[in-house]
Every structure is written in C-alpha cells, then in structure tokens.
Amino acid sequence: QVQLVESGGGLVQPGGSLRLSCAASGSIYRGSTMGWYRQAPGKQRQLVARITSSGSTNYADSVKGRFTISRDNAKNTVYLQMNSLKPEDTAVYYCHYDGILQNYWGQGTQVTVSS
C-alpha cells in the first residue's frame, strides 16, 4: 500500500504561482514514476506532468514552459511548480504513483485561478 498526501492548492490570481506537494508513504518502489493529473468540472482527468525515478519528465502541451515537476527521492515527495497560471488551469489536481504493479491516487487538491 502507498499513501499519497497532497498540499499547496488554493486560490490565485491569473499570472500568479502555486507549488503543489505530494508526499508518498508506505511500500515505495524505487523505480516508480510519479505525476500530476487534473480534472476540471465536466471534463476527463488529464495528465499534467510526470517524472520517472531517474528524473525524466514529460508535460502536457498546455503547461510546457509554465509548470515544472520535480521529485525528492529521499523524501518520497513530488512537487509541481506552477507559474503564469491561467483561469483554464482551474481544476482539482491529483497526485499519481505508478509502481508498475500497483498505482495509487491522492485525494486531490483544488487549484482555482481567478481574479
């Protein structure tokens, strides 16, 4: 079992920044991939960014150049730095753990971009 606890969401004005954190605990697989997904009202959950255990990353086109994903393997924590936020970034953001044989989701954290 792996538990994921997210933090850092909130309300921010357009052009602002937020940093999300996701702390994993439990039976962590060292070769896991971790990522962030988001789901806006009435839409499907979509990949925002993910990072492998070796640090390779990939991003959704809509966030490239604005968001940065990183991880601290010693702390089993993944971060999402979000800059130049837009109203269309408003969604519930979910942390995801992919341990190959098992995958888990966090409870989600709300990000609202509005003036």
Coordinates of all heavy atoms in Angstrom, one line a residue, residues 26-83:
G26 N 4.6 4.5 2.7 CA 4.2 3.1 2.6 C 5.3 2.3 1.8 O 6.5 2.6 1.9
S27 N 4.8 1.3 1.1 CA 5.7 0.4 0.3 C 6.1 1.1 -1.0 O 5.6 0.8 -2.1 CB 5.0 -0.9 0.1 OG 4.7 -1.5 1.3
I28 N 7.1 2.0 -0.9 CA 7.5 2.8 -2.1 C 8.5 2.0 -3.0 O 9.5 1.5 -2.5 CB 8.2 4.1 -1.7 CG1 7.3 4.9 -0.8 CG2 8.5 4.9 -3.0 CD1 6.0 5.3 -1.4
Y29 N 8.2 1.9 -4.2 CA 9.1 1.2 -5.2 C 10.0 2.2 -5.7 O 9.6 3.3 -6.2 CB 8.3 0.6 -6.3 CG 9.1 0.1 -7.5 CD1 10.1 -0.8 -7.3 CD2 8.8 0.5 -8.8 CE1 10.8 -1.3 -8.4 CE2 9.5 0.1 -9.9 CZ 10.5 -0.8 -9.7 OH 11.3 -1.3 -10.7
R30 N 11.3 2.0 -5.6 CA 12.4 2.9 -6.0 C 12.3 3.3 -7.5 O 12.7 4.4 -7.9 CB 13.7 2.4 -5.7 CG 14.0 2.2 -4.2 CD 14.0 3.6 -3.5 NE 14.3 3.4 -2.1 CZ 14.3 4.4 -1.2 NH1 14.0 5.7 -1.7 NH2 14.6 4.2 0.0
G31 N 11.8 2.5 -8.3 CA 11.7 2.7 -9.7 C 10.4 3.3 -10.2 O 10.0 3.3 -11.4
S32 N 9.6 3.9 -9.2 CA 8.3 4.4 -9.5 C 8.3 5.7 -10.3 O 9.3 6.4 -10.3 CB 7.5 4.6 -8.2 OG 8.1 5.6 -7.5
T33 N 7.3 5.9 -11.1 CA 7.0 7.1 -11.8 C 5.9 7.9 -11.0 O 4.9 7.3 -10.6 CB 6.6 6.9 -13.2 OG1 7.6 6.4 -14.0 CG2 6.1 8.2 -13.9
M34 N 6.1 9.1 -10.8 CA 5.1 9.9 -10.1 C 4.6 11.1 -11.0 O 5.4 11.6 -11.8 CB 5.6 10.4 -8.8 CG 5.9 9.3 -7.8 SD 6.3 9.9 -6.1 CE 4.6 10.4 -5.6
G35 N 3.4 11.5 -10.8 CA 2.9 12.5 -11.7 C 1.7 13.3 -11.1 O 1.3 13.0 -10.0
W36 N 1.4 14.3 -11.9 CA 0.2 15.1 -11.5 C -0.8 15.1 -12.7 O -0.4 15.2 -13.8 CB 0.6 16.6 -11.3 CG 1.4 16.8 -10.0 CD1 2.8 16.8 -9.9 CD2 0.9 16.9 -8.7 NE1 3.1 17.0 -8.6 CE2 2.0 17.1 -7.8 CE3 -0.4 17.0 -8.2 CZ2 1.9 17.3 -6.5 CZ3 -0.5 17.2 -6.8 CH2 0.6 17.4 -6.0
Y37 N -2.0 14.9 -12.3 CA -3.1 15.0 -13.3 C -4.1 16.0 -12.8 O -4.1 16.4 -11.6 CB -3.9 13.6 -13.3 CG -3.1 12.5 -14.0 CD1 -2.0 12.0 -13.4 CD2 -3.5 12.0 -15.3 CE1 -1.2 11.0 -14.0 CE2 -2.7 11.0 -15.9 CZ -1.6 10.5 -15.3 OH -0.9 9.5 -15.9
R38 N -5.0 16.5 -13.6 CA -6.0 17.4 -13.2 C -7.3 17.1 -13.9 O -7.4 16.6 -15.0 CB -5.6 18.9 -13.5 CG -5.5 19.2 -15.0 CD -4.9 20.6 -15.1 NE -4.8 21.1 -16.5 CZ -4.2 22.2 -16.9 NH1 -3.6 23.0 -16.0 NH2 -4.1 22.5 -18.2
Q39 N -8.4 17.5 -13.2 CA -9.7 17.3 -13.7 C -10.5 18.6 -13.4 O -10.8 18.9 -12.3 CB -10.4 16.1 -13.0 CG -11.7 15.7 -13.6 CD -12.2 14.3 -13.2 OE1 -11.7 13.8 -12.2 NE2 -13.1 13.8 -13.9
A40 N -11.0 19.2 -14.5 CA -11.8 20.3 -14.4 C -13.3 19.9 -14.5 O -13.6 18.8 -14.9 CB -11.6 21.3 -15.6
P41 N -14.2 20.7 -14.0 CA -15.6 20.3 -13.9 C -16.1 19.9 -15.3 O -15.9 20.6 -16.3 CB -16.3 21.5 -13.4 CG -15.3 22.2 -12.6 CD -14.0 22.0 -13.3
G42 N -16.7 18.7 -15.4 CA -17.3 18.3 -16.7 C -16.3 17.7 -17.7 O -16.7 17.4 -18.8
K43 N -15.1 17.6 -17.3 CA -14.0 17.1 -18.2 C -13.3 15.9 -17.6 O -13.4 15.6 -16.4 CB -13.0 18.2 -18.4 CG -13.6 19.4 -19.2 CD -12.4 20.4 -19.6 CE -13.0 21.6 -20.3 NZ -11.9 22.5 -20.8
Q44 N -12.6 15.2 -18.5 CA -11.9 14.0 -18.0 C -10.6 14.4 -17.3 O -10.1 15.4 -17.6 CB -11.6 13.1 -19.2 CG -12.9 12.4 -19.9 CD -12.5 11.4 -20.9 OE1 -11.5 11.5 -21.6 NE2 -13.3 10.4 -21.1
R45 N -10.2 13.5 -16.5 CA -8.9 13.7 -15.8 C -7.8 13.6 -16.9 O -7.8 12.7 -17.7 CB -8.7 12.7 -14.7 CG -7.5 12.9 -13.8 CD -7.5 11.9 -12.7 NE -8.7 12.0 -11.8 CZ -8.9 11.4 -10.7 NH1 -7.9 10.6 -10.3 NH2 -10.0 11.5 -10.0
Q46 N -6.8 14.5 -16.9 CA -5.8 14.6 -17.9 C -4.4 14.7 -17.2 O -4.3 15.3 -16.1 CB -6.0 15.8 -18.8 CG -7.3 15.7 -19.6 CD -7.4 16.9 -20.6 OE1 -7.0 18.0 -20.2 NE2 -7.9 16.6 -21.7
L47 N -3.4 14.2 -17.9 CA -2.0 14.3 -17.4 C -1.6 15.7 -17.5 O -1.8 16.4 -18.5 CB -1.1 13.4 -18.2 CG 0.4 13.5 -18.0 CD1 0.7 12.9 -16.6 CD2 1.2 12.9 -19.1
V48 N -0.9 16.2 -16.4 CA -0.3 17.5 -16.4 C 1.2 17.3 -16.6 O 1.8 17.9 -17.5 CB -0.5 18.2 -15.1 CG1 0.2 19.5 -15.1 CG2 -2.0 18.4 -14.9
A49 N 1.8 16.4 -15.8 CA 3.3 16.2 -15.9 C 3.6 14.9 -15.1 O 2.9 14.6 -14.1 CB 4.0 17.4 -15.3
R50 N 4.7 14.3 -15.5 CA 5.1 13.1 -14.7 C 6.6 13.1 -14.8 O 7.3 13.6 -15.7 CB 4.5 11.8 -15.2 CG 4.7 11.5 -16.6 CD 3.9 10.3 -17.0 NE 4.0 10.0 -18.4 CZ 3.0 9.3 -19.1 NH1 2.0 8.8 -18.4 NH2 3.2 9.1 -20.4
I51 N 7.2 12.4 -13.8 CA 8.6 12.3 -13.6 C 9.0 10.9 -13.2 O 8.4 10.3 -12.3 CB 9.1 13.3 -12.6 CG1 10.6 13.3 -12.5 CG2 8.5 13.2 -11.3 CD1 11.2 14.5 -11.8
T52 N 10.0 10.3 -13.9 CA 10.4 8.9 -13.5 C 11.4 9.0 -12.3 O 11.8 10.1 -11.9 CB 11.2 8.3 -14.7 OG1 12.4 9.0 -15.0 CG2 10.3 8.3 -16.0
S53 N 11.8 7.8 -11.9 CA 12.7 7.8 -10.7 C 14.1 8.3 -11.1 O 14.8 8.8 -10.2 CB 12.8 6.3 -10.3 OG 13.3 5.5 -11.3
S54 N 14.4 8.3 -12.4 CA 15.7 8.9 -12.8 C 15.6 10.3 -13.2 O 16.7 10.9 -13.5 CB 16.2 8.1 -14.0 OG 15.4 8.2 -15.1
G55 N 14.4 10.9 -13.1 CA 14.3 12.3 -13.3 C 13.8 12.7 -14.7 O 13.7 13.9 -15.0
S56 N 13.5 11.8 -15.6 CA 13.0 12.1 -16.9 C 11.5 12.6 -16.7 O 10.8 12.1 -16.0 CB 13.0 10.9 -17.8 OG 14.3 10.5 -18.1
T57 N 11.2 13.7 -17.5 CA 9.9 14.3 -17.3 C 9.2 14.4 -18.7 O 9.8 14.4 -19.7 CB 10.1 15.7 -16.8 OG1 10.9 16.5 -17.7 CG2 10.7 15.7 -15.4
N58 N 7.9 14.5 -18.6 CA 7.1 14.9 -19.7 C 5.9 15.7 -19.2 O 5.4 15.5 -18.1 CB 6.7 13.7 -20.6 CG 5.8 12.8 -20.0 OD1 6.2 12.1 -19.1 ND2 4.5 12.7 -20.5
Y59 N 5.5 16.6 -20.1 CA 4.4 17.6 -19.8 C 3.3 17.6 -20.8 O 3.6 17.4 -22.0 CB 5.0 19.0 -19.7 CG 6.1 19.2 -18.6 CD1 7.4 18.9 -18.8 CD2 5.7 19.6 -17.3 CE1 8.4 19.1 -17.8 CE2 6.6 19.8 -16.3 CZ 7.9 19.6 -16.6 OH 8.9 19.7 -15.6
A60 N 2.2 18.0 -20.4 CA 1.1 18.3 -21.3 C 1.5 19.6 -22.1 O 2.1 20.5 -21.5 CB -0.2 18.5 -20.6
D61 N 1.1 19.6 -23.3 CA 1.5 20.8 -24.1 C 1.0 22.1 -23.5 O 1.6 23.2 -23.6 CB 0.9 20.7 -25.6 CG 1.6 19.6 -26.4 OD1 2.8 19.3 -26.0 OD2 1.1 19.2 -27.4
S62 N -0.2 22.0 -22.9 CA -0.8 23.3 -22.3 C 0.0 23.9 -21.2 O -0.3 25.0 -20.8 CB -2.2 23.0 -21.9 OG -2.3 21.9 -20.9
V63 N 0.9 23.1 -20.6 CA 1.6 23.6 -19.4 C 3.1 23.8 -19.7 O 3.8 24.3 -18.8 CB 1.4 22.8 -18.1 CG1 -0.1 22.6 -17.9 CG2 2.1 21.4 -18.2
K64 N 3.6 23.3 -20.8 CA 5.0 23.4 -21.1 C 5.5 24.9 -21.0 O 4.9 25.8 -21.5 CB 5.3 22.9 -22.5 CG 5.3 21.4 -22.6 CD 5.6 20.9 -24.0 CE 5.6 19.3 -24.0 NZ 5.8 18.9 -25.4
G65 N 6.6 25.0 -20.3 CA 7.2 26.4 -20.2 C 6.6 27.1 -19.0 O 7.2 28.2 -18.6
R66 N 5.6 26.6 -18.4 CA 5.0 27.3 -17.2 C 5.1 26.5 -15.9 O 5.2 27.0 -14.8 CB 3.5 27.6 -17.5 CG 3.3 28.5 -18.7 CD 1.8 29.0 -18.8 NE 0.9 27.8 -19.0 CZ -0.1 27.6 -18.2 NH1 -0.3 28.3 -17.1 NH2 -0.9 26.5 -18.4
F67 N 4.9 25.1 -16.1 CA 4.9 24.2 -14.9 C 6.2 23.4 -14.9 O 6.8 23.1 -16.0 CB 3.8 23.2 -15.0 CG 2.4 23.8 -14.8 CD1 2.2 25.2 -14.8 CD2 1.3 23.0 -14.6 CE1 0.9 25.7 -14.6 CE2 0.0 23.5 -14.5 CZ -0.2 24.9 -14.4
T68 N 6.7 23.1 -13.7 CA 7.9 22.3 -13.6 C 7.6 21.2 -12.5 O 7.2 21.5 -11.4 CB 9.1 23.1 -13.1 OG1 9.3 24.2 -14.1 CG2 10.3 22.3 -13.0
I69 N 7.9 20.0 -12.9 CA 7.7 18.9 -11.9 C 9.1 18.5 -11.5 O 10.1 18.5 -12.2 CB 7.0 17.7 -12.6 CG1 6.6 16.6 -11.5 CG2 7.8 17.1 -13.7 CD1 5.7 15.6 -12.0
S70 N 9.2 18.1 -10.2 CA 10.5 17.7 -9.6 C 10.1 16.7 -8.5 O 9.0 16.6 -8.1 CB 11.3 18.8 -9.1 OG 10.6 19.5 -8.0
R71 N 11.2 16.0 -8.1 CA 11.0 15.0 -7.0 C 12.2 14.9 -6.1 O 13.3 15.1 -6.6 CB 10.6 13.6 -7.5 CG 11.6 12.9 -8.3 CD 11.0 11.6 -9.0 NE 10.7 10.5 -8.0 CZ 10.1 9.4 -8.3 NH1 9.7 9.2 -9.6 NH2 9.9 8.5 -7.4
D72 N 11.9 14.6 -4.9 CA 13.0 14.4 -3.9 C 12.8 12.9 -3.5 O 12.0 12.6 -2.7 CB 12.8 15.4 -2.7 CG 13.9 15.2 -1.7 OD1 14.6 14.2 -1.6 OD2 14.2 16.2 -1.0
N73 N 13.7 12.1 -4.0 CA 13.6 10.6 -3.7 C 13.8 10.3 -2.2 O 13.3 9.4 -1.7 CB 14.5 9.8 -4.6 CG 14.0 9.8 -6.1 OD1 12.8 9.9 -6.3 ND2 15.0 9.7 -7.0
A74 N 14.7 11.1 -1.6 CA 15.0 10.9 -0.2 C 13.7 11.1 0.7 O 13.6 10.5 1.7 CB 16.1 11.7 0.3
K75 N 12.9 12.1 0.2 CA 11.7 12.4 1.0 C 10.4 11.8 0.4 O 9.3 12.0 0.9 CB 11.5 13.9 1.0 CG 12.6 14.7 1.8 CD 12.3 16.2 1.8 CE 13.4 16.9 2.6 NZ 13.1 18.4 2.6
N76 N 10.6 11.0 -0.7 CA 9.5 10.4 -1.4 C 8.4 11.5 -1.7 O 7.2 11.2 -1.5 CB 8.9 9.3 -0.6 CG 9.8 8.1 -0.5 OD1 10.5 7.7 -1.5 ND2 9.8 7.5 0.7
T77 N 8.8 12.6 -2.2 CA 7.9 13.7 -2.4 C 8.1 14.2 -3.8 O 9.2 14.3 -4.3 CB 8.2 14.8 -1.4 OG1 8.0 14.4 -0.1 CG2 7.2 16.0 -1.7
V78 N 7.0 14.5 -4.5 CA 7.0 15.1 -5.8 C 6.4 16.5 -5.7 O 5.4 16.7 -4.9 CB 6.3 14.2 -6.8 CG1 4.8 14.1 -6.5 CG2 6.4 14.8 -8.2
Y79 N 6.9 17.4 -6.5 CA 6.4 18.8 -6.5 C 6.0 19.2 -7.9 O 6.4 18.7 -8.9 CB 7.5 19.7 -6.0 CG 8.2 19.4 -4.7 CD1 9.3 18.6 -4.7 CD2 7.6 19.8 -3.5 CE1 9.9 18.3 -3.5 CE2 8.2 19.4 -2.3 CZ 9.3 18.7 -2.3 OH 9.9 18.3 -1.1
L80 N 5.1 20.2 -7.9 CA 4.6 20.8 -9.2 C 4.7 22.3 -8.9 O 3.8 22.8 -8.2 CB 3.3 20.3 -9.6 CG 2.8 20.8 -11.0 CD1 3.7 20.2 -12.1 CD2 1.3 20.5 -11.2
Q81 N 5.7 22.9 -9.5 CA 5.7 24.4 -9.5 C 4.9 24.9 -10.7 O 5.2 24.6 -11.8 CB 7.2 24.9 -9.6 CG 7.3 26.4 -9.6 CD 6.9 27.0 -8.3 OE1 7.2 26.5 -7.2 NE2 6.2 28.1 -8.4
M82 N 3.9 25.7 -10.4 CA 3.1 26.3 -11.4 C 3.2 27.8 -11.5 O 2.9 28.5 -10.5 CB 1.6 25.9 -11.1 CG 1.4 24.4 -11.0 SD -0.3 23.9 -10.7 CE -0.7 24.7 -9.1
N83 N 3.7 28.3 -12.6 CA 3.8 29.7 -12.8 C 2.9 30.2 -13.9 O 2.4 29.4 -14.7 CB 5.3 30.0 -13.1 CG 6.3 29.6 -12.0 OD1 5.9 29.7 -10.8 ND2 7.5 29.3 -12.4

